[in-house]
Amino acid sequence: MAKLIYVADPMCSWCYGFGPELATLLHGLPEVPLELIVGGLRAYNTKPMDDALRTTLGTHWKKVGETTGLPFSDAGLQIRHFVYDTEPACRAISATGLLAPQSALTVFQAIQHAFYAKGLDVTKGEVLAEIVVQVLEQDGVQIDQGEFLKTWASEEARSVTREDFEQAKRWGVTGFPTLILEHRGELHLVTAGFTRTEDLIQRLQAIIDQSSATEAPVNQDR
């Protein structure tokens, strides 16, 4: 049985841009499960954003917006003393996985939208709690913000998040988004970076049609 593995970070602009392409792909493959691994783009960063980084990120965001047509707000870049630490947002995905794993991808997308389109500070627990609880309510899962924050702050959620970061490193993932296909016991790289849906379909079909694919599989070390 085939499975897709998505390695990404909710505070990665190209992952945000890739979202609609992935959604279209998944819509056409309802029988194929997706495993979400958070990558830790800038995990555990402690340095406040300076003007140089703000300018660099603004350039990246503009490029993603032009390529994808997705909305971007500059408000996130103007947050006073903002520390671009992606671990809290990644941990919100891990916490969701512990509470309601079927909603993890939807929460991932909601955090992306909150950060990039609304300019919210998704490094803050209270902001993440509001986003996650709203998504879960829409999915029919009744969890209040206090319960989510307790799980989000737990050592279990921190450990799961670290394990995801370490798994991505073991696979040699150095950029996001990365999409991998697990097929017949081997892991095959589908894309490392933003890719249109039609190209994803072609790459997946090539892997499935050729059990001994010419592209070397990612080392499976789990």
Side-chain angles (χ1 to χ4, degrees):
M1 182 177 179
K3 178 176 72 172
L4 287 168
I5 303 171
Y6 183 39
V7 188
D9 191 297
M11 296 178 72
C12 157
S13 59
W14 279 113
C15 296
Y16 174 54
F18 184 63
E21 307 299 328
L22 178 64
T24 301
L25 177 69
L26 296 177
H27 181 74
L29 300 171
E31 74 287 356
V32 179
L34 178 76
E35 179 181 356
L36 178 58
I37 302 287
V38 288
L41 175 66
R42 294 176 183 272
Y44 310 116
N45 178 41
T46 60
K47 184 179 179 181
M49 183 184 297
D50 58 20
D51 290 339
L53 178 58
R54 188 174 291 108
T55 298
T56 298
L57 292 175
T59 300
H60 288 323
W61 293 11
K62 181 179 179 181
K63 177 64 175 178
V64 177
E66 291 173 347
T67 301
T68 66
L70 290 176
F72 278 82
S73 169
D74 290 336
L77 295 176
Q78 305 307 321
I79 298 171
R80 186 173 177 82
H81 304 307
F82 180 62
V83 177
Y84 205 136
D85 175 13
T86 69
E87 190 275 344
C90 287
R91 185 160 27 101
I93 309 304
S94 300
T96 302
L98 295 171
L99 295 167
Q102 72 280 5
S103 299
L105 182 60
T106 309
V107 166
F108 184 93
Q109 294 165 338
I111 292 173
Q112 289 179 311
H113 183 77
F115 182 55
Y116 287 109
K118 296 183 178 181
L120 300 183
D121 186 351
V122 296
T123 69
K124 304 299 185 184
E126 60 272 19
V127 175
L128 291 166
E130 184 174 353
I131 295 168
V132 174
V133 168
Q134 183 176 4
V135 170
L136 295 186
E137 286 179 352
Q138 293 171 350
D139 287 352
V141 180
Q142 298 303 315
I143 293 175
D144 62 31
Q145 293 188 24
E147 184 178 356
F148 169 77
L149 285 171
K150 182 178 180 180
T151 302
W152 176 76
S154 69
E155 181 54 39
E156 183 178 12
R158 296 177 189 276
S159 177
V160 170
T161 305
R162 287 194 299 268
E163 289 171 5
D164 273 14
F165 295 165
E166 291 166 4
Q167 180 62 76
K169 290 178 181 179
R170 285 195 295 269
W171 280 337
V173 174
T174 57
F176 313 110
T178 289
L179 188 65
I180 297 167
L181 176 69
E182 182 177 321
H183 180 62
R184 295 185 177 178
E186 292 186 333
L187 300 182
H188 299 270
L189 180 65
V190 180
T191 187
F194 175 85
T195 305
R196 297 291 185 185
T197 304
E198 54 268 29
D199 293 327
L200 295 173
I201 293 171
Q202 291 178 1
R203 296 179 189 186
L204 286 169
Q205 194 62 56
I207 294 170
I208 293 172
D209 287 347
Q210 301 175 5
S211 57
S212 56
T214 56
E215 182 179 11
V218 180
N219 289 331
Q220 189 165 11
D221 179 14
R222 303 192 69 181

